[in-house]
Amino acid sequence: MVGVHHTLIQLLILKLLSTGVFGESSSTYTYNILGDDVNMPCKNLVYPVHCSSVEWIFDKTGLLNAIQEVSEGKVRVDSNRAERLTVKPDCSLTVHNVISEDVGRYTCRDGNIDSLTILSLLTISSSTPESDLKPDYPLTLRCTLYTLLGPGMCRYEELDKISLGWVDQTGADLHEVFRYHFTVHSTCDITLKVTLQREDINRRWTCQLTDKGEVKTSIDFHSTLSEEDSDVDKWVVIGVVVFVAVFVVITSLVIFRKRTRIQMPVNTGHMMLANNSDGKQADITYSVVNITAGSRVMNRDPKTEYATIRTRS
């Protein structure tokens, strides 16, 4: 019960501050992305000529955990963010190179008059490292607004005016089609799922934040699949196809050669004298047949008489 009462007290204080119970108050909402330099105005100054009476107070969960960042118009040296804070001549406060820890409420106090700025941060996270992106691979991008209440948790007063949406490179809304799928977790948290294609090489995916229909900020994600990577994949496929084709041709030639009879070169026109069985001489025409070692004569002609003459080398 103590914890519940503590939370209720914090919410009550926040409400009182926003309605001006502790003095005149005006609220400004600012939506930013990582690395921005954010300037927050100090309104309704009592002494606009100088800022010696101005304080800047930062809090995430209410005044009970508030931190004084600026005192008497100067950044406190003991501030953890002293190097990233600047008070300008008009008493506005600039936060340089904004990070998620900077999300919160910034109150400029001059006497009994407060002006309030609420800083939120828009982010994109990817399910796949950029180096692993390839055509036909799925990509999931989640666009989240970090607010006082946490990531993706809009404040009550923002629910009817804040919206997140995905747009293409021309600024046109992406619609649910066969390759685009959206999941709305909340008004301040939306996911895009897409199967990459070759036309998505070096494409920009944009999450856009609108406030009452007016674009306030946007954040991009680049699918950095390079054309060289896709060319390598293409030539690998071509190389495999060529290799298979050559292998098939060579294999077919080997099989065909085994099934074809041996063609032997013949040198004709030689004659010699020999004795017949009756002792008379007769002319014999012969041919010199060159047969490679290990080969044998195929398809003998029945009208031809064959003889084998072995020679010694």
Side-chain angles (χ1 to χ4, degrees):
M1 292 297 294
V2 175
V4 174
H5 290 159
H6 180 74
T7 302
L8 290 175
I9 291 173
Q10 288 183 331
L11 293 175
L12 178 60
I13 293 175
L14 289 174
K15 185 65 176 177
L16 290 174
L17 281 174
S18 63
T19 55
V21 172
F22 295 116
E24 184 180 351
S25 176
S26 58
S27 299
T28 301
Y29 293 90
T30 177
Y31 307 101
N32 310 277
I33 63 174
L34 201 68
D36 278 350
D37 289 346
V38 183
N39 188 66
M40 292 167 285
C42 189
K43 302 177 181 179
N44 304 316
L45 294 173
V46 177
Y47 303 104
V49 178
H50 55 81
C51 304
S52 59
S53 60
V54 168
E55 297 179 344
W56 276 97
I57 301 169
F58 170 74
D59 70 87
K60 281 182 174 290
T61 57
L63 290 180
L64 296 179
N65 295 306
I67 301 173
Q68 188 183 54
E69 301 282 10
V70 174
S71 177
E72 297 180 352
K74 297 180 180 179
V75 177
R76 293 174 61 96
V77 295
D78 58 349
S79 170
N80 293 331
R81 299 182 294 172
E83 295 181 354
R84 296 194 296 115
L85 299 179
T86 302
V87 178
K88 291 189 173 181
D90 61 357
C91 306
S92 62
L93 177 68
T94 299
V95 182
H96 301 278
N97 192 23
V98 68
I99 57 178
S100 59
E101 286 76 9
D102 298 326
V103 171
R105 297 162 43 93
Y106 293 80
T107 302
C108 178
R109 179 168 295 166
D110 185 13
N112 293 324
I113 299 178
D114 292 349
S115 60
L116 176 66
T117 300
I118 300 176
L119 188 154
S120 300
L121 190 66
L122 189 64
T123 65
I124 281 185
S125 59
S126 170
S127 63
T128 307
E130 293 185 36
S131 58
D132 294 340
L133 297 179
K134 296 179 181 179
D136 301 323
Y137 273 53
L139 172 64
T140 300
L141 298 176
R142 188 165 186 170
C143 182
T144 305
L145 182 68
Y146 279 69
T147 71
L148 273 171
L149 302 178
M153 301 177 65
C154 288
R155 295 176 296 278
Y156 178 78
E157 62 269 23
E158 290 179 321
L159 294 179
D160 60 344
K161 64 175 183 176
I162 294 295
S163 64
L164 301 181
W166 291 94
V167 299
D168 63 17
Q169 298 183 93
T170 66
D173 291 338
L174 292 179
H175 299 285
E176 185 94 11
V177 294
F178 72 98
R179 62 183 298 234
Y180 300 135
H181 302 282
F182 304 98
T183 302
V184 179
H185 309 283
S186 71
T187 305
C188 294
D189 194 358
I190 184 172
T191 293
L192 165 67
K193 293 182 179 179
V194 59
T195 299
L196 294 174
Q197 297 180 356
R198 293 201 177 274
E199 66 229 39
D200 298 325
I201 294 173
N202 294 327
R203 179 171 178 170
R204 183 178 72 250
W205 308 88
T206 301
C207 176
Q208 189 170 267
L209 183 148
T210 59
D211 183 350
K212 294 181 179 179
E214 180 183 355
V215 177
K216 291 297 184 179
T217 190
S218 62
I219 186 169
D220 300 329
F221 178 89
H222 294 267
S223 49
T224 55
L225 172 65
S226 65
E227 295 183 6
E228 290 76 9
D229 292 338
S230 60
D231 288 341
V232 169
D233 293 340
K234 177 180 69 177
W235 286 112
V236 168
V237 172
I238 293 175
V240 171
V241 172
V242 171
F243 173 79
V244 172
V246 172
F247 178 78
V248 171
V249 171
I250 293 175
T251 303
S252 301
L253 289 176
V254 171
I255 295 174
F256 177 77
R257 185 173 181 180
K258 287 184 178 180
R259 293 180 178 179
T260 305
R261 64 176 182 171
I262 300 174
Q263 302 294 330
M264 297 176 295
V266 177
N267 299 321
T268 60
H270 299 279
M271 297 185 65
M272 63 175 292
L273 294 176
N275 293 327
N276 290 331
S277 57
D278 58 1
K280 295 181 179 180
Q281 289 187 339
D283 293 334
I284 299 175
T285 301
Y286 69 94
S287 297
V288 177
V289 180
N290 298 320
I291 304 177
T292 58
S295 302
R296 60 191 182 91
V297 179
M298 303 293 293
N299 301 327
R300 291 175 177 268
D301 188 348
K303 297 180 180 180
T304 303
E305 294 184 1
Y306 295 90
T308 301
I309 301 175
R310 298 186 183 277
T311 61
R312 295 181 180 179
S313 55

